[in-house]
Amino acid sequence: MRMSRRSLLVAGTAAAALTPLPAEASEHTGHRLRTGFERLAGAGYAQLGGERVGMVTNPTGVTRDVRHIVDVMHADDRVNLVAVFGPEHGFRGTAQAGGSEGRYDDPATGLPVYDTYLKSGQALADIFTASGVDTVVFDIQDAGARFYTYIWTLYDCMEAARLAGKRFVVLDRPNPVTGRAAQGPVLHKEFATFVGRQPIAQAHGMTVAELARLFNGEFLAAPVELDTVQMSGWKRGEFYDAWGLPWVPPSPNMPTPDTALVYSGTCLFEGTNLSEGRGTTRPFELLGAEGVDGRWAAAVGELALPGVHFREAYFAPTFSKFQGKTVGGVQIHVHDRAAFEPVRTGIALLVTARKVWSGFAWRSDNWIDKLTGSTLVRTMIDAGARTDEVVAAWQDELEAFRKVRKHYLIYK
């Protein structure tokens, strides 16, 4: 990965991102952590003064008392909000995975809502131009995994804003699974899709503002005019429940922060013929298939993976794979979040599932390669590699990413 524009980023847009907001934004509110939106609003939206603003957001863009920020901003004369841009699942969140809400006028505010899902490049730039905005603002809660599509909505919108000559502002929110060191394989560019545009680690350990800085400095064809409104009071080692923030599911199958904790590992089962728990009350924590029995939980349990136990489980998904059928498998129970390694755990579950269940198969389109970012995981597991061998195989690329990543981190 190159660092050719790092000096530009540090000297220009990154410097702007680190500039403190006016003093009124740091007044005591009774909460140690303040999100980017809280700090922006506390400063009277001064950073958006005199501009026509468009928001890229979804149901997670809420205040601490769970009012949507679009509703709050629309009612405030200090900001000129003129458009909303909805990602996968939509602005108000009514669409399932792989869907969006299309173009409509929001009934609550009357604002035009434009669909960004699966749009990029000049096509998305044309939408920004047609909306009449001067500045595009991004505020969406991420889940911390490379294949969670909102960070690539961020990337695509940054590139489109650059093409359309628009300023881009990111309002930061916490990474719900902490900002610990990055984990997992790094994407190879030939496997780039909407579940991974650029070579970052599977569990990136960054906030969306930090990712925006990374994208601007490393991957965009040329930098966009970027500002970030940082959080105050966030510490990298803390999990979501430390902050007193409400959890709004960022997508229909991300119901709790516990889901986000395991997601960067167990989402890999989307690339297999096993259920990843969609259609249950514990998606990505329940995994299984017809014909799987207690041998799987026993096999993965014998590995004594840090921070996690595995329970033999049976469930009947209400939709998606095995809809209406009773399947056997495992439920993941994380008992020590600090020790838990989600990506290693996901690999161990794949290795042991293939070992104990004769029906194991990858999806015919090799979707697993898109999720992991290369053929490495699939081919090594097919060859009979152990969990530690698979994990060891990506360490050099991961270390190279970590060295680049550290230049774009904001928080300690």
Side-chain angles (χ1 to χ4, degrees), residues 281-296:
T281 58
R282 307 300 292 191
F284 303 105
E285 296 175 67
L286 283 168
L287 308 167
E290 287 185 294
V292 176
D293 57 28
R295 290 176 295 170
W296 189 18

Side-chain angles (χ1 to χ4, degrees), residues 113-126:
V113 179
Y114 299 87
D115 185 7
T116 72
Y117 182 49
L118 298 181
K119 297 177 177 66
S120 60
Q122 191 60 52
L124 185 53
D126 290 344

Side-chain angles (χ1 to χ4, degrees), residues 99-219:
S100 58
E101 293 174 339
R103 167 71 176 90
Y104 66 99
D105 291 338
D106 179 48
T109 62
L111 291 169
V113 179
Y114 299 87
D115 185 7
T116 72
Y117 182 49
L118 298 181
K119 297 177 177 66
S120 60
Q122 191 60 52
L124 185 53
D126 290 344
I127 291 175
F128 288 160
T129 298
S131 72
V133 303
D134 304 310
T135 296
V136 179
V137 181
F138 181 96
D139 189 350
I140 294 179
Q141 177 63 59
D142 182 37
R146 182 183 63 231
F147 31 63
Y148 207 53
T149 63
Y150 298 135
I151 63 172
W152 304 114
T153 294
L154 169 65
Y155 176 83
D156 289 342
C157 287
M158 289 175 64
E159 176 66 8
R162 181 189 69 81
L163 291 171
K166 309 298 182 183
R167 176 171 168 248
F168 201 88
V169 177
V170 178
L171 308 182
D172 213 4
R173 290 183 182 267
N175 184 322
V177 294
T178 79
R180 296 178 294 180
Q183 300 179 30
V186 175
L187 178 108
H188 293 193
K189 284 296 292 289
E190 61 267 30
F191 291 89
T193 67
F194 192 49
V195 294
R197 293 278 197 230
Q198 297 292 345
I200 67 173
Q202 190 165 307
H204 51 72
M206 303 176 79
T207 70
V208 289
E210 291 174 333
L211 283 166
R213 286 159 47 89
L214 173 70
F215 295 162
N216 214 34
E218 296 297 316
F219 302 132

Side-chain angles (χ1 to χ4, degrees), residues 275-278 280 286-289 313-317 325-330:
S275 168
E276 64 276 10
R278 294 182 187 273
T280 76
L286 283 168
L287 308 167
Y314 298 88
F315 56 96
K325 298 179 180 179
T326 298
V327 302
V330 299

Side-chain angles (χ1 to χ4, degrees), residues 26-78:
S26 61
E27 291 176 357
H28 179 67
T29 62
H31 300 282
R32 174 170 59 81
L33 181 137
R34 302 191 73 197
T35 65
F37 176 78
E38 287 176 320
R39 297 189 67 231
L40 177 75
Y45 305 103
Q47 289 182 305
L48 304 179
E51 298 180 342
R52 292 166 57 87
V53 175
M55 288 296 307
V56 182
T57 190
N58 72 352
T60 65
V62 294
T63 63
R64 199 173 289 270
D65 58 355
V66 296
R67 293 175 297 158
H68 200 284
I69 62 173
V70 165
D71 300 328
V72 172
M73 296 170 75
H74 179 258
D76 196 318
D77 291 337
R78 296 175 297 177

